[in-house]
Amino acid sequence: MNLLFISVFFLFSLLILRLGIVQIVQGNHYEAEVARTENVKSHNGTPPRGKIYDRYRNVIVDNVPLNAITYTRTQTTKPEDMLKVAKKLANLIEMNTDKITDRDRQDFWLLNHPDEAEKLVSKEEIKKLEDDEDLAEDERNKKIYEMQLERITKKDIESFTKKEEEVLAIFREFNTGYALSPQIIKNKDVSMEEMARVSERLSDLPGVNVTTDWERKYMNDSTLRTILGKVSTSQQGLPSEIAKQFIAEGYSRNDRVGTSYFESQYEDVLKGQKEKIEYITKNGSVLDSQVVSEGHSGKDIVLTIDLKLQKEIEKIVEEELSKQAAKYWQSPFLDRAFVVMMEPNTGEILSMVGKKFGKNEKGQTELQDYALGTYTSEYGVGSAVKGATVLTGYMTGKLNIGEALYDEAIQIKDSPIKRSWFNQLRGPMYLTDTKALEVSSNAYMWKTAFKVAGVTYHKGQPMDIKKETFSTFRNHFNQFGLGVQTGIDLPGEVDGLQGKGYLPGNLMDFAIGQYDLYTPMQLVQYASTIANGGYRMQPHIMKEIREPSGETDKVGPVLSEYEPKVLNRIDATDKQIERVQTGFYQVAHARQGTANIFSSASYNAAAKSGTAEAFYYSPEKKRQFDTYNTTLIGYAPFDDPEIAFSVVLPYSHQDKDPYVNKTIAKRVMDKYFELKKQYEKDGYFNSSTEEKVRNATQLEDQETTEE
């Protein structure tokens, strides 16, 4: 007994000593710990993205307001608490259940049937896992959970009623959000009655709120849809393949972002800034909050696109393609067409039209937007490149201005005879450089290519073409933008496609645009380079960035404006460029000009047409067909160019050329100058950008001179 009393006395002494240390020595520390709070920063709201306008402030992309119901959970909110709120909310709103997965059903079943879930794994199995010393507690619980999931039957997860599935759909959305960050539960088809019912019961729905959300609205149906891109929904959030990058930049997983093309390219500009809130929490409970920074909508962007011109050209292309579709025997494979219009002095793209026959959701054939194809698809463009061929002859010092070459049939040993259409019609004759462009002489271009290659043509004799000659030609063509990316401010641009052989016949085909493939955007950059005196301008569709005005009928102040960029100046002299310009003028005006459809036009155009042999593979017939591509490039007015264009019609015909390329080009240019008069009358025309490019080209000239 004495020993027992001594032991108790000793233990009580230790207890008193410990209490003394806790209360006296460490008392202040524990009091501070009890009073300690945490500051947690979070982002609130879903600010709308910036609007997109055309060059004349017509809205192309806007935001439509939506009624929305949100849920915000705290750091200590338990699944059981969320389930209770979800059940209450399901009685007040209708919820779409299409996104529910089997895994969602399994998790929901486990949460709603805890007793049955516990029986899915036997005590012996649990003990076996507990006896495994290599398993940490988290790993053990994970294995038990996985075993439960595997043993839930299909009958179990299909046993939910419609109302239970609505609860599940709501609960699923609850779980996708971050703590203290509002998660949108429903923002589509939220009726005023639903908003009212939820608003009346917010006190019974902790974490639930009603607010206003937005949806991206593309105002002009299919116009430019393939290049404007898309924005993810609040349910989709960040695309999985780039989520890490966005999260590193401060995004949340459920944020909406541009996922393709223009919306993606200018994400940093168009995205809104969320309201930043600092929450004061204690043991996970929110005590107070304060706004650190106000949220605001994204910045607006003004495009270089003329929406009215864009729509008019789309209409022209649709009409002409439909006419040819009705003449299936004449153009059986013509399924697409492209038109690009660009200011040659600034690089501003006024319209980029692509139309292509495709199947809609109902399986019906219709013309669909394919503006994307103007810089992501390449084609043989034919004689349109002959201006670049002549200038390559000049720039390499192998061809002289005004030099006459003999247009004749070309016969190289072991190769088929090649001849110009003009030679077939008029017979052999000497042609100057401008006349060769006017009548589109193939033989002149072939002999120019031979000169560049450093070989002399002898009828029926073999010819040795060095591989370097192809590099020489391509390097010079690149100066015009042919065969290289134009630099347009949109993702996914292609370089074109190079032929692989290095035979004499391959070089001959290259010189007349029937070997390497180019994009419609490259063609308009090439036309612009000749039009403006040799400056390759970077094409762009972003014109200005503006502050959002907050008013539907006004735009905000300019924050920044795109400055025209000269990518390079070709190595040709002014006289050499003027010589090719003269040839292009004759193409559009002379009696034998291959595009003299412009001869009576008041705007004094210059142009160059092209026809290229091509091949069309028919998936239905599982065979390849010989066909032709037709193209046309040009600019106007000749003496002071303000607009350049390219027209490309792949697979336009097989036998009889319907000249659709020329019809489209003429109608398009007529429409441009018709609208220009209307704009000048309305006071829209603004030449400030032209002044900027003059400054840019002067700087380029100065740098070249200094070098």
Side-chain angles (χ1 to χ4, degrees), residues 23-159:
Q23 293 182 348
I24 300 172
V25 180
Q26 298 179 334
N28 292 334
H29 169 74
Y30 285 113
E31 285 180 4
E33 187 67 20
V34 170
R36 186 175 66 86
T37 60
E38 292 182 338
N39 292 353
V40 180
K41 291 182 179 179
S42 181
H43 293 87
N44 194 11
T46 54
R49 290 172 74 81
K51 297 180 182 180
I52 301 176
Y53 298 88
D54 86 329
R55 67 190 298 115
Y56 298 120
R57 314 304 183 261
N58 299 303
V59 179
I60 296 178
V61 185
D62 203 348
N63 303 300
V64 178
L66 299 172
N67 291 329
I69 298 169
T70 66
Y71 177 76
T72 307
R73 63 183 177 87
T74 67
Q75 295 166 307
T76 57
T77 303
K78 297 178 180 178
E80 294 80 6
D81 300 329
M82 290 192 289
L83 181 58
K84 290 178 183 178
V85 176
K87 289 179 178 179
K88 292 179 181 179
L89 188 57
N91 293 323
L92 304 177
I93 65 173
E94 293 183 6
M95 191 70 181
N96 190 309
T97 60
D98 293 343
K99 295 180 181 178
I100 297 175
T101 64
D102 285 346
R103 178 58 181 270
D104 294 329
R105 296 175 188 276
Q106 290 174 324
D107 288 332
F108 192 65
W109 188 90
L110 291 175
L111 187 62
N112 279 274
H113 302 82
D115 294 336
E116 292 91 330
E118 187 177 347
K119 295 176 182 178
L120 292 175
V121 182
S122 67
K123 293 180 179 179
E124 290 77 11
E125 289 174 317
I126 294 175
K127 188 176 185 308
K128 185 177 180 181
L129 291 172
E130 290 175 345
D131 292 340
D132 188 345
E133 296 180 355
D134 294 333
L135 280 180
E137 184 177 356
D138 289 343
E139 294 177 345
R140 183 168 58 248
N141 292 335
K142 183 179 178 181
K143 283 189 173 293
I144 293 173
Y145 171 68
E146 290 173 349
M147 293 167 68
Q148 289 175 325
L149 290 178
E150 291 174 359
R151 295 170 187 183
I152 297 174
T153 66
K154 188 175 182 181
K155 182 180 179 181
D156 290 333
I157 64 174
E158 290 180 351
S159 63

Side-chain angles (χ1 to χ4, degrees), residues 355-582:
K355 289 290 177 179
K356 181 180 179 181
F357 283 106
K359 300 287 186 180
N360 60 20
E361 295 177 354
K362 298 179 181 179
Q364 301 168 328
T365 300
E366 64 179 9
L367 274 170
Q368 299 172 341
D369 180 70
Y370 191 38
L372 180 64
T374 58
Y375 67 95
T376 62
S377 61
E378 60 274 292
Y379 307 94
V381 300
S383 299
V385 305
K386 287 178 177 175
T389 300
V390 171
L391 278 163
T392 298
Y394 295 155
M395 290 188 282
T396 55
K398 304 297 184 179
L399 183 69
N400 297 316
I401 290 178
E403 184 173 350
L405 299 177
Y406 196 54
D407 186 308
E408 61 180 320
I410 302 296
Q411 184 178 4
I412 298 173
K413 185 178 180 180
D414 300 325
S415 297
I417 297 176
K418 294 177 178 285
R419 66 179 75 237
S420 303
W421 72 271
F422 189 73
N423 175 267
Q424 293 175 329
L425 184 66
R426 295 297 181 94
M429 65 174 63
Y430 278 97
L431 299 174
T432 63
D433 42 11
T434 53
K435 188 66 176 180
L437 289 171
E438 174 191 328
V439 301
S440 199
S441 167
N442 286 346
Y444 194 96
M445 306 304 148
W446 294 330
K447 290 193 173 183
T448 298
F450 297 156
K451 283 176 169 288
V452 174
V455 297
T456 303
Y457 167 69
H458 295 288
K459 183 178 180 180
Q461 296 299 309
M463 185 176 289
D464 182 24
I465 300 294
K466 294 181 180 179
K467 181 179 178 180
E468 290 75 16
T469 304
F470 288 85
S471 297
T472 299
F473 260 101
R474 285 176 176 139
N475 289 338
H476 283 84
F477 271 47
N478 291 169
Q479 293 184 36
F480 299 93
L482 296 172
V484 292
Q485 293 186 17
T486 65
I488 188 166
D489 52 338
L490 288 168
E493 183 178 17
V494 300
D495 294 326
L497 190 64
Q498 293 184 359
K500 299 300 182 183
Y502 301 102
L503 299 174
N506 299 141
L507 183 64
M508 294 169 69
D509 288 342
F510 183 96
I512 61 173
Q514 299 198 147
Y515 195 51
D516 285 5
L517 309 183
Y518 310 112
T519 69
M521 188 64 65
Q522 290 173 344
L523 280 187
V524 78
Q525 189 180 52
Y526 152 63
S528 296
T529 302
I530 292 177
N532 66 28
Y535 297 95
R536 184 165 77 100
M537 304 301 299
Q538 180 175 354
H540 60 99
I541 66 170
M542 195 281 283
K543 185 177 178 67
E544 297 169 347
I545 297 174
R546 290 178 173 263
E547 281 283 8
S549 67
E551 300 181 41
T552 56
D553 57 344
K554 292 183 180 180
V555 294
V558 175
L559 292 175
S560 65
E561 194 172 359
Y562 184 92
E563 294 291 336
K565 183 176 181 180
V566 179
L567 297 177
N568 62 269
R569 190 192 188 282
I570 63 175
D571 294 334
T573 66
D574 290 342
K575 288 185 178 180
Q576 290 170 340
I577 297 171
E578 289 168 3
R579 189 70 177 177
V580 172
Q581 290 173 339
T582 299

Side-chain angles (χ1 to χ4, degrees), residues 22 73 162 237 284 289 295 335 345 404 455 499 535 574 581 619-620 624:
V22 170
R73 63 183 177 87
K162 182 180 178 182
S289 65
D335 66 345
N345 297 311
V455 297
Y535 297 95
D574 290 342
Q581 290 173 339
E620 298 175 355
Q624 186 170 273

